[in-house]
Amino acid sequence: MKNNLYKYILGIADNSLILGQRMGSLTGHGPSLETDIACTNISLDLFGQVRSYYQYAAKIAGDNRTEDDIAMLRKEREYLNVLLVEQPNTDFAYIIARQFLFDVYHFMFLTELQKSHDVTLSAIATKSIKEVSYHQRFSSDWIKRLGDGTELSKAKMQEAINGLWTYTDELFHQTEADKAMVAQSIGVDVTKLKEGYYEVVNTILNESTLEVPESKWFQKGGKVGIHTEHLGYLLSDLQFMQRTYPNMDW
Amino acid sequence: MSEEQIKNLEAQFEARIARDEKIEPKDWMPEKYRKTHIRQMSQHAHSEIVGMLPEGNWITRAPSLRRKVALLAKVQDEAGHGLYLYSATETLGISRDELYEQLHTGKAKYSSIFNYPTVTWADMGAIGWLVDGAAIINQVPLCSTSYGPYARAMIRVCKEESFHQRQGFEIMIKLAEGTSEQKEMAQDALNRWWWPSLMMLGPTDSESVHTEQSMKWKLKRKSNDDLRQQFIDQTVPQAELIGLTIPDPDLKWNEERQSYDFGEINWDEFWQVVKGHGPCNKERMKARVGAWERGEWVRDAAMAYAEKQQTRKEKRAI
């Protein structure tokens, strides 16, 4: 139970950690000052959530590990985030598409997690959902602006949606830890979110005059620690200080 | 308007400033006042925006989650300051696009200190402690400057800067109390940031071209040299408190002046950096111009979308 709960928390938190890291690296380089501030804000929200989850995970683990050990001292194969969130900041269309495709899921997931029988997870979900509701509004609005903006922006937005579509199905895969937690009414049964997810996503894409990709081939692996090549580089930045200067306080 | 009328307006204008009244955007103002304010306020805004880059350099590598969140929040505050200051500058009849254009073509300046590289984590501490510390000394008097929108923006900016300064000092305390490697990192950062921070308070009074007029308009209330002395007197005891050494062999308490005497500043280096020859001038501009150019299609799309929405709304209204 303890191990499953620990892994379950990591599965949730790692998504926010990796996406937060991606969004944070944009700070100072956004297409406008306003979007720069918004992307930094999303990153800040995600890291705030990450801290709550990892602090809880550290407590569950019950040894001396800290939130930072969990965040920064695992091996690449031990990160349990979905492949979607680790995809690079190719351009602003990819950044928005990645955010949007995750936000829609994240909002639905947290809505359910609020009902968790684990009071800490339920409390974190209740706090986070307000932030995520804003993230979803922000990314959906940009999907519409870029989809229904200029010809160029439409082409770029469509390319990004097509490029990232292959990572959406993994959001609804269940790991062993997920199943165990669902059985105890602690975890969310993500398989039940799938239909609603594609309904919301397809509606926004239609409104944005974008096409829903037809591809039915999906990538998976992140949830069991098999990642794309992008993650290693992200981790080498994330872990740099902790690896170079072990066992120090900052 | 006759010359006499203009003179009359100017006299009234100067009298208002002397009475500590605020000048507001729609009030009459001499052209030179407008231009000087556009120059100084936009320079300040540009400094906030370019200043995001050296610190942004460490966001992905911050040593702990707590430090990462604090750094993100700090850099975000700087973007916010840039936003208020650009907006305040726009009240003087210039657009943000024009101001960016001036930055990107090198016509407008920004604080030279941001042309130095951030090479270790300790630089995040040193920047907060020293650079924000020097900025506060420069900026607190501006909370009562004569131009209303600038003064009001500065009140908020100063509150946040003072928080950043404490945060930076706290990073330094932690390093100074840490392992020998951490202490060394802190001392190295102080060594590298100390002199550029002193230069940040501007050229020495005899070389400063804008001081006299700026004093009259309350854009400046103390001379650069006075501000520098204030900064040194305030910072030296802080360094001593955490066991770090100011990298100036000539630094000495002067009992008579009740102030520190300090060594000669390398003004040649200062002017070289101002002229574009600092270690990171090119990188900083490349980053700013690159972000702007890469963002063009995004801004165009947002405009096109807004126009389409407006047209649809109008059609629905008929």
Side-chain angles (χ1 to χ4, degrees):
Chain A
M1 146 78 189
K2 200 174 115 178
N3 192 36
N4 277 332
L5 180 58
Y6 180 76
K7 274 195 164 172
Y8 186 69
I9 299 167
L10 259 48
I12 306 169
D14 287 355
N15 286 336
S16 295
L17 174 77
I18 303 302
L19 188 56
Q21 180 80 355
R22 281 282 184 238
M23 290 305 266
S25 69
L26 275 175
T27 304
H29 306 277
S32 69
L33 206 39
E34 288 81 355
T35 46
D36 207 305
I37 292 173
C39 290
T40 310
N41 209 48
I42 290 173
S43 177
L44 263 172
D45 288 343
L46 293 170
F47 279 117
Q49 296 164 15
V50 164
R51 293 194 66 193
S52 306
Y53 287 125
Y54 287 161
Q55 282 164 10
Y56 183 39
K59 214 164 105 187
I60 302 285
D63 45 21
N64 287 327
R65 80 187 82 172
T66 65
E67 54 171 314
D68 293 323
D69 296 338
I70 299 175
M72 297 172 181
L73 289 173
R74 276 180 287 157
K75 307 274 192 306
E76 181 173 346
R77 289 280 276 105
E78 294 165 343
Y79 285 84
L80 303 176
N81 58 282
V82 291
L83 300 177
L84 174 67
V85 294
E86 71 200 39
Q87 299 310 304
N89 296 338
T90 308
D91 64 15
F92 195 66
Y94 270 84
I95 289 160
I96 289 300
R98 182 184 60 205
Q99 192 64 40
F100 168 68
L101 293 172
F102 183 70
D103 288 341
V104 174
Y105 160 81
H106 201 189
F107 184 80
M108 295 173 115
F109 177 82
L110 291 175
T111 304
E112 293 305 311
L113 190 65
Q114 291 184 94
K115 301 172 200 158
S116 171
H117 285 192
D118 183 302
V119 287
T120 309
L121 286 181
S122 161
I124 299 173
T126 303
K127 179 186 162 282
S128 308
I129 200 163
K130 291 177 201 135
E131 297 163 350
V132 172
S133 138
Y134 163 76
H135 301 171
Q136 188 178 340
R137 195 159 38 125
F138 173 81
S139 60
S140 304
D141 284 351
W142 273 104
I143 292 276
K144 289 179 201 162
R145 281 189 199 108
L146 299 179
D148 194 15
T150 63
E151 265 181 52
L152 176 65
S153 70
K154 185 189 177 80
K156 281 179 177 279
M157 199 63 248
Q158 187 69 58
E159 188 203 314
I161 290 288
N162 294 350
L164 295 173
W165 195 254
T166 190
Y167 301 111
T168 52
D169 188 65
E170 192 194 7
L171 293 163
F172 311 102
H173 288 205
Q174 276 188 323
T175 62
E176 291 310 311
D178 289 354
K179 286 178 194 160
M181 288 301 103
V182 171
Q184 293 178 54
S185 305
I186 290 174
V188 175
D189 184 351
V190 287
T191 59
K192 290 187 180 155
L193 304 179
K194 188 167 169 175
E195 204 182 317
Y197 172 85
Y198 285 109
E199 264 173 36
V200 175
V201 167
N202 295 358
T203 305
I204 303 270
L205 292 182
N206 285 329
E207 262 183 61
S208 315
T209 73
L210 293 166
E211 280 168 27
V212 177
E214 282 173 10
S215 165
K216 295 277 182 261
W217 180 253
F218 296 100
Q219 301 294 330
K220 59 176 195 275
K223 282 190 170 180
V224 291
I226 304 170
H227 292 276
T228 57
E229 291 178 351
H230 304 295
L231 186 69
Y233 294 94
L234 181 149
L235 293 181
S236 59
D237 274 358
L238 178 72
Q239 301 188 340
F240 169 68
M241 290 295 289
Q242 289 281 341
R243 296 275 181 214
T244 314
Y245 304 95
N247 304 317
M248 295 185 202
D249 283 333
W250 302 95
Chain B
M1 216 182 288
S2 75
E3 212 170 292
E4 197 177 334
Q5 279 171 315
I6 290 177
K7 269 199 176 153
N8 203 3
L9 280 171
E10 274 176 354
Q12 284 175 26
F13 179 83
E14 299 295 347
R16 285 185 66 193
I17 292 183
R19 286 196 301 271
D20 264 340
E21 279 177 38
K22 291 280 178 264
I23 306 301
E24 295 300 334
K26 287 186 176 152
D27 296 347
W28 183 87
M29 62 185 78
E31 200 45 31
K32 198 174 167 201
Y33 181 90
R34 184 188 303 276
K35 284 200 171 131
T36 305
H37 277 75
I38 290 176
R39 185 181 55 77
Q40 178 164 332
M41 290 165 67
S42 66
Q43 187 170 319
H44 190 165
H46 298 326
S47 301
E48 297 283 356
I49 299 310
V50 178
M52 293 169 73
L53 299 169
E55 288 177 289
N57 185 36
W58 278 88
I59 288 174
T60 60
R61 291 177 295 165
S64 69
L65 291 173
R66 176 174 164 257
R67 293 292 183 202
K68 194 189 285 283
V69 167
L71 184 60
L72 272 164
K74 181 185 185 216
V75 182
Q76 190 191 32
D77 282 349
E78 283 156 10
H81 298 170
L83 201 55
Y84 312 143
L85 288 163
Y86 283 125
S87 304
T89 314
E90 283 181 298
T91 64
L92 291 162
I94 186 162
S95 71
R96 209 200 298 178
D97 283 4
E98 285 173 279
L99 295 170
Y100 278 152
E101 173 75 16
Q102 291 178 356
L103 173 68
H104 296 162
T105 55
K107 192 181 158 207
K109 299 278 180 234
Y110 56 89
S111 184
S112 267
I113 194 124
F114 301 121
N115 292 315
Y116 289 86
T118 51
V119 293
T120 73
W121 169 252
D123 292 8
M124 298 304 98
I127 289 184
W129 175 32
L130 303 173
V131 177
D132 290 312
I136 293 166
I137 286 190
N138 244 335
Q139 291 168 5
V140 164
L142 291 173
C143 296
S144 55
T145 190
S146 62
Y147 189 54
Y150 194 27
R152 289 188 287 273
M154 290 318 298
I155 291 170
R156 180 150 180 195
V157 169
C158 281
K159 273 186 199 158
E160 292 181 349
E161 293 291 4
S162 123
F163 179 72
H164 297 163
Q165 201 250 351
R166 284 203 298 273
Q167 190 173 291
F169 190 54
E170 202 255 328
I171 291 177
M172 294 305 267
I173 293 176
K174 198 82 188 165
L175 293 173
E177 285 173 349
T179 63
S180 57
E181 260 181 309
Q182 285 173 305
K183 260 182 227 165
E184 209 175 286
M185 194 191 277
Q187 182 63 52
D188 169 63
L190 172 59
N191 294 350
R192 285 180 290 106
W193 290 94
W194 175 252
W195 292 104
S197 301
L198 297 189
M199 293 174 198
M200 200 185 145
L201 293 151
T204 195
D205 294 346
S206 55
E207 301 272 328
S208 179
V209 284
H210 302 296
T211 298
E212 198 185 331
Q213 180 69 78
S214 296
M215 290 269 194
K216 212 162 89 188
W217 287 336
K218 298 175 182 168
L219 256 178
K220 218 172 188 9
R221 314 209 89 161
K222 281 183 182 177
S223 77
N224 293 349
D225 287 335
D226 287 346
L227 292 170
R228 194 166 6 253
Q229 186 70 59
Q230 185 187 337
F231 174 71
I232 293 169
D233 291 346
Q234 165 189 310
T235 311
V236 173
Q238 294 171 349
E240 281 170 1
L241 187 74
I242 58 174
L244 296 179
T245 310
I246 302 282
D248 178 358
D250 297 324
L251 187 83
K252 198 167 74 227
W253 178 251
N254 182 322
E255 196 55 45
E256 197 181 318
R257 289 200 306 120
Q258 287 293 299
S259 247
Y260 282 93
D261 291 335
F262 55 97
E264 205 175 319
I265 293 172
N266 182 351
W267 289 113
D268 184 41
E269 176 182 321
F270 173 77
W271 291 113
Q272 286 304 324
V273 180
V274 170
K275 282 178 197 152
H277 307 305
C280 297
N281 295 58
K282 287 195 179 71
E283 283 87 343
R284 301 294 183 237
M285 265 315 97
K286 203 174 149 198
R288 281 316 317 157
V289 173
W292 184 247
E293 287 175 352
R294 278 193 306 279
E296 190 180 5
W297 68 271
V298 177
R299 299 188 301 273
D300 288 349
M303 289 301 286
Y305 179 77
E307 278 163 25
K308 282 185 197 175
Q309 289 299 96
Q310 185 61 28
T311 314
R312 283 170 197 155
K313 207 165 126 191
E314 282 165 11
K315 274 191 185 155
R316 277 198 300 271
I318 297 168

